[in-house]
Amino acid sequence: QTKTGIALLYDEVSENAYDIRLKLTKEILTIQKQDVVCVSGSDHSEHHRTVTLRRQPVGGLGLSIKGGAEHKVPVVISKIFKDQAAEQTGMLFIGDAIIQVNGINVENATHEEVVHLLRNAGDEVTITVQYLREAPSFLKLPLGSPGPSSDHSSGTSSPLFDSGLHLNGNSTNTAPSSPSSPIANEPKYEKRWLDTLSVPLSMARISRYKTGTDKLRSNAFEVLALDGVSTGILQFYTAQESADWLRAMSTNISDLTLQNMKMANKCCSPSEQVIHMGWVNERLEGTDSSQLYQFKFLALKGSSFYIFSTPPVSTLDWVRAEKIYNLCEVLFKIHKLWLADDCWLQANLYLGIHQDFDLEDQRPYCFSVMVGHGKSHYFNVELGSELAVWEKSFQRAIFLEVQRTGSKTYLCSWQGDTLCFTVDFALGFTCFDSKTKNVLWRFKFSQLKGSSDDGKTRVKLLFQNLDTKQIETKELEFQDLTAVLHCIHSFIAAKVASVDPVFIDSQSIARKYMYSN
């Protein structure tokens, strides 16, 4: 299905907005601008049209104008009146910029100067025009075809209001003149929407924020193609229109990403399948305020979580990731959701591990991925639906990796002895001597009743003895304690999911409180 609609293209430099038409297909977003095109006859003017108007006793030139040099815009035709001189030529259109009047160049003329010239030009006025494709929206030019108007402007004029030239000017005679009409061999023109930019949606990304900041654009966003080509800032008239277009484009991008994943998975073994991938914004730590966030492309594939600066498009690209982490050793956490009553939901998705984050930024739909050595990556997505997909995908990818791996063993130490600590999906926890391989202790997952750590290397695990019901404390020291704690969490969550998948689904924060608008 093709979606079309009128929007504005906002120019951040000039702070002007221009009327455009959007055309969205499954794979491409096309931006169209209005232009006047020659549809028959020969046109040698290179976009300029020279038209002779005969002033009529009733109706004058049959047009109104807006703009002027004082507003840094050309004087443009803002209205054309039905069955009057300008319309009868078939060669003039709303949005035409007036270049010359009777051979006098008016490109840098003020509004009043052009009004004066046209009113005092006699019965026959020759004007040269060129269609202004990027007419600033503050001129409020109608996009439709000319229709009846109730404009009755007098001699006083303003550059942002229509100055009517459909009244009698200073005519040199009062005899009715023959109406302006197109000559048979003259070219015929029509106003049409023409394609000016096509943005492929495969691996494209959307941003509602001003570059690198937390400032949300009002009813506006930007679409960037894989090669970096931007639509510019697309601005919509209402919040509902903006939300509808944002959702439609996001859906098409997601569908194409899914296609790309299926293609990639055909070349991968069952243990190396892509579970999910897509664009996010990563918050940069310790940088100046102009570069708070940066686009990153995340992927969950096989046993790993990948962070890229650009999407992987070939098999070789997977080794070029900025960061690669083992899925058993990461922890996914939702931070913010934007709720219907405009309040924040702070959500913890895990037990026994606590870490405070600086949540001063104003972006909704944020999540973090905590990795080894106490480090973390903080991300933001554009829609609540995307957050729900990332939550579900991380959960699925981690559970699959736990089941595939079966067990993870870490070197650790206690009181000078080098030991091995194993987390096993079937058996639970085992600690054994690294040299003799003698098992020192073993507990099931259900026997773990609590834990505490010093935030550096040392952890206390509290197990309940099945026979005595007493709590036994086991203390261990690890080089990367965070990775081990994350691994324990992943194995326990996967174990619970294998026994009671409904419980895991009921814990989904994003799906419970998802508001995509």
Side-chain angles (χ1 to χ4, degrees):
Q1 282 190 337
T2 301
K3 180 179 171 70
T4 58
I6 302 298
L8 294 168
L9 188 62
Y10 181 69
D11 185 324
E12 286 184 304
V13 179
S14 68
E15 296 187 345
N16 285 332
Y18 309 103
D19 288 304
I20 54 165
R21 185 173 182 261
L22 297 177
K23 187 170 74 175
L24 178 68
T25 64
K26 192 173 176 61
E27 296 182 352
I28 291 171
L29 173 66
T30 304
I31 292 176
Q32 299 177 318
K33 292 180 185 174
Q34 269 194 327
D35 206 345
V36 169
V37 294
C38 180
V39 291
S40 66
S42 57
D43 179 15
H44 306 293
S45 58
E46 291 189 6
H47 303 299
H48 285 197
R49 280 163 282 128
T50 298
V51 185
T52 299
L53 294 168
R54 294 179 185 88
R55 197 185 304 273
Q56 296 177 355
V58 177
L61 298 176
L63 56 86
S64 292
I65 61 170
K66 270 185 183 178
E70 63 269 55
H71 276 273
K72 297 178 182 173
V73 290
V75 169
V76 295
I77 296 174
S78 57
K79 287 182 183 173
I80 289 177
F81 295 89
K82 197 166 176 61
D83 298 328
Q84 293 185 16
E87 192 200 41
Q88 287 168 354
T89 66
M91 291 177 68
L92 293 174
F93 299 87
I94 291 170
D96 276 340
I98 299 174
I99 310 295
Q100 289 185 348
V101 176
N102 285 347
I104 300 166
N105 189 291
V106 294
E107 286 179 278
N108 298 311
T110 65
H111 185 82
E112 283 294 347
E113 287 168 346
V114 178
V115 170
H116 180 77
L117 262 178
L118 288 168
R119 284 211 166 117
N120 295 282
D123 289 329
E124 203 166 85
V125 185
T126 300
I127 60 172
T128 300
V129 297
Q130 179 178 3
Y131 188 73
L132 188 64
R133 290 178 77 180
E134 295 184 349
S137 60
F138 66 72
L139 287 174
K140 291 185 168 55
L141 301 179
L143 287 171
S145 53
S149 172
S150 58
D151 183 279
H152 295 294
S153 306
S154 63
T156 58
S157 58
S158 162
L160 295 186
F161 293 92
D162 297 286
S163 291
L165 296 156
H166 54 293
L167 306 174
N168 287 329
N170 295 341
S171 179
T172 51
N173 62 63
T174 53
S177 58
S178 59
S180 308
S181 59
I183 300 165
N185 61 355
E186 279 195 348
K188 186 169 182 271
Y189 294 90
E190 276 182 15
K191 193 192 278 191
R192 290 183 181 175
W193 287 105
L194 302 179
D195 294 356
T196 57
L197 179 67
S198 290
V199 177
L201 295 177
S202 179
M203 302 288 195
R205 58 192 192 268
I206 296 173
S207 177
R208 292 188 294 158
Y209 294 87
K210 291 181 180 177
T211 309
T213 73
D214 281 331
K215 290 179 181 172
L216 192 67
R217 292 189 174 105
S218 177
N219 302 340
F221 57 84
E222 179 181 14
V223 183
L224 295 113
L226 178 59
D227 60 5
V229 170
S230 167
T231 56
I233 312 305
L234 306 177
Q235 201 162 23
F236 298 87
Y237 291 98
T238 65
Q240 187 60 55
E241 274 183 28
S242 178
D244 288 347
W245 275 98
L246 180 66
R247 202 175 293 110
M249 290 183 203
S250 295
T251 300
N252 288 13
I253 291 169
S254 297
D255 290 347
L256 291 168
T257 302
L258 203 61
Q259 279 182 28
N260 289 329
M261 278 166 47
K262 286 177 180 175
M263 290 290 288
N265 285 341
K266 284 181 182 178
C267 310
C268 298
S269 66
S271 63
E272 284 299 314
Q273 298 285 294
V274 180
I275 302 296
H276 187 56
M277 59 185 187
W279 285 103
V280 297
N281 298 293
E282 181 174 18
R283 190 174 71 181
L284 305 178
E285 299 296 338
T287 54
D288 62 43
S289 57
S290 67
Q291 278 298 313
L292 286 173
Y293 280 86
Q294 209 172 59
F295 277 116
K296 297 289 177 183
F297 192 85
L298 308 185
L300 303 172
K301 180 180 185 289
S303 62
S304 302
F305 163 50
Y306 295 82
I307 302 176
F308 295 92
S309 55
T310 56
V313 289
S314 72
T315 312
L316 293 171
D317 288 342
W318 289 94
V319 298
R320 297 186 187 131
E322 288 182 355
K323 302 277 183 185
I324 304 174
Y325 300 104
N326 183 275
L327 279 165
C328 289
E329 297 175 352
V330 303
L331 197 65
F332 177 91
K333 179 186 174 186
I334 284 179
H335 286 284
K336 281 185 183 175
L337 291 161
W338 189 248
L339 301 186
D341 58 355
D342 287 354
C343 67
W344 292 115
L345 173 76
Q346 307 291 344
N348 284 348
L349 285 189
Y350 57 91
L351 302 169
I353 303 168
H354 184 73
Q355 189 168 344
D356 289 322
F357 279 83
D358 172 22
L359 297 174
E360 289 177 0
D361 62 278
Q362 295 302 301
R363 294 190 178 207
Y365 315 129
C366 295
F367 68 92
S368 65
V369 180
M370 289 179 270
V371 296
H373 297 289
K375 293 181 179 175
S376 66
H377 295 273
Y378 189 90
F379 302 109
N380 149 260
V381 287
E382 299 291 338
L383 294 170
S385 54
E386 291 178 286
L387 187 62
V389 171
W390 277 114
E391 182 190 22
K392 183 78 175 170
S393 300
F394 262 95
Q395 201 179 76
R396 183 166 167 245
I398 289 168
F399 292 175
L400 283 171
E401 177 54 17
V402 167
Q403 289 168 349
R404 252 194 317 263
T405 307
S407 70
K408 293 278 282 186
T409 299
Y410 297 92
L411 273 178
C412 59
S413 62
W414 184 241
Q415 295 177 338
D417 294 326
T418 304
L419 309 173
C420 289
F421 174 74
T422 298
V423 189
D424 188 285
F425 188 68
L427 301 173
F429 306 102
T430 306
C431 187
F432 58 91
D433 189 288
S434 64
K435 291 175 185 171
T436 65
K437 309 300 181 193
N438 289 336
V439 173
L440 303 176
W441 48 262
R442 178 175 282 146
F443 294 98
K444 292 177 182 177
F445 288 122
S446 59
Q447 289 176 270
L448 180 65
K449 299 303 175 185
S451 70
S452 62
D453 63 81
D454 64 357
K456 296 172 186 172
T457 60
R458 196 171 291 188
V459 65
K460 285 181 182 177
L461 299 170
L462 309 176
F463 296 103
Q464 186 177 43
N465 186 299
L466 291 177
D467 299 323
T468 66
K469 305 299 180 190
Q470 296 297 307
I471 297 294
E472 294 183 24
T473 302
K474 302 297 179 184
E475 213 165 325
L476 297 169
E477 210 166 317
F478 294 92
Q479 198 175 359
D480 185 357
L481 177 60
T482 316
V484 178
L485 293 177
H486 292 171
C487 183
I488 292 170
H489 178 270
S490 297
F491 272 73
I492 291 174
K495 193 72 176 176
V496 172
S498 69
V499 176
D500 187 2
V502 177
F503 172 76
I504 294 294
D505 278 344
S506 73
Q507 301 307 297
S508 169
I509 300 295
R511 289 196 297 285
K512 251 191 229 176
Y513 300 100
M514 191 179 76
Y515 292 85
S516 301
N517 291 356

